[in-house]
Amino acid sequence: MDPLSPNRTRPDPPDARAAAPNPPRPTPHPHTTTATTATRGDTMALQKIAFVGLGIMGLPMARNLVRAGYTVTGHNRSRGKVDALVADGGVGADSVADAVADADAVITMLPDSPDVEALLAGEGGVFSHARPGTLVIDMSTIRPDVSRTLAQQGQERGLKVLDAPVSGGEAGAIEGALSIMVGGEQADFDTARPVFDVLGKTPVLVGPHGAGQTVKAANQLIVAGHLQLLAEALVFLEAHGVETGPGLEVLGGGLAGSTVLQRKGEAMRERNFQPGFRIALHDKDLRIVTDAARTSGVTVPLGAQVAQLVGSLNRQGHGDLDHSALLKLVEELSGRKH
């Protein structure tokens, strides 16, 4: 892993940043789950948070925690994202060991199962350097069986572990409006609840370790299906000369309305595929779905078809585009160019 280094980059003192306007802090959202609503005083148990993985999702999530008053130490493979967090009041760490050394909780947000396995259980990883009793919250989207194994390994080292993948994309991360699907122990969920309330509006404990990842797989199955059908509907409307702006507006007001249509419809109309969630990652997620479905003997015919389409788009070299770029494939198959 990273070389162990005692150096941290700390933010400028408050007076040096006084001229910069402070963005509004996200406020916790009222909702009902299996846990009681925690008070702000409960956050003291998790006041120091290490956040590893400051990508499209991780950086805005870490920023929201800083704005909510937590001491957040960030680590990322590329230094630029760490510097961005420091500029917003976070602390920068040069290594995983440095980031987690005195953390009350460690949050990880990485691309895939092997990345999380290496970071948590690999040589020089989180499990080797976190203090006993530290709460480790993996918010990546990975295989449920890997989450269960990592939870067991963490517990054997005296750590508490939750799998807590999210849905809502970059916009949800920025707005503090993510849906958070949590697997693990009730007591650990209750401890993490104030943190989850900063990051999202729907944190729910859905079952034991690995259950959060299973629900996230179902989420990705549904989202992929919505995107594919939205892409087909747009090409269908355009082929018949319908103004797609008003068309999507009225569709959004009826049973066809969805968060996918609301968040992705306009960008798809404009062929704006700047990534909020990359095709390459959705391809990975749908492989998790199809593998898990095969293992459990569940048939997912529509999901398998969309998985093939997403995989095809990725192999064509479009992996860095937003997953709404499924529209490109529908246009190609229809022999139409926008």
Side-chain angles (χ1 to χ4, degrees), residues 13 31 42 127 136 141 153 165 203 221 228 319:
H31 44 67
D42 295 327
F127 290 170
V136 179
T141 298
Q153 293 174 340
L221 176 65
Q228 177 63 23

Side-chain angles (χ1 to χ4, degrees), residues 216-303:
K216 178 59 186 290
N219 179 87
Q220 297 304 79
L221 176 65
I222 294 169
V223 171
H226 277 217
L227 284 168
Q228 177 63 23
L229 290 174
L230 177 55
E232 293 178 13
L234 277 169
V235 174
F236 174 76
L237 292 173
E238 290 170 352
H240 286 273
V242 175
E243 290 290 337
T244 54
L248 292 186
E249 180 182 358
V250 70
L251 288 172
L255 193 57
S258 69
T259 302
V260 169
L261 193 156
Q262 176 188 356
R263 288 201 178 269
K264 300 291 185 178
E266 187 62 27
M268 291 173 74
R269 285 184 63 244
E270 297 175 355
R271 273 56 177 182
N272 177 4
F273 303 126
Q274 289 296 314
F277 189 77
R278 294 187 291 118
I279 278 285
L281 291 177
H282 212 145
D283 183 25
K284 177 264 299 182
D285 292 350
L286 291 174
R287 280 186 272 113
I288 292 174
V289 171
T290 53
D291 289 347
R294 187 180 303 109
T295 299
S296 59
V298 174
T299 302
V300 287
L302 294 179

Side-chain angles (χ1 to χ4, degrees), residues 4 55 116 123 156 196 208 244 323 336:
L4 305 187
V116 178
E123 182 179 355
E156 290 171 354
F196 290 150
T244 54
H323 51 176
R336 301 183 64 86

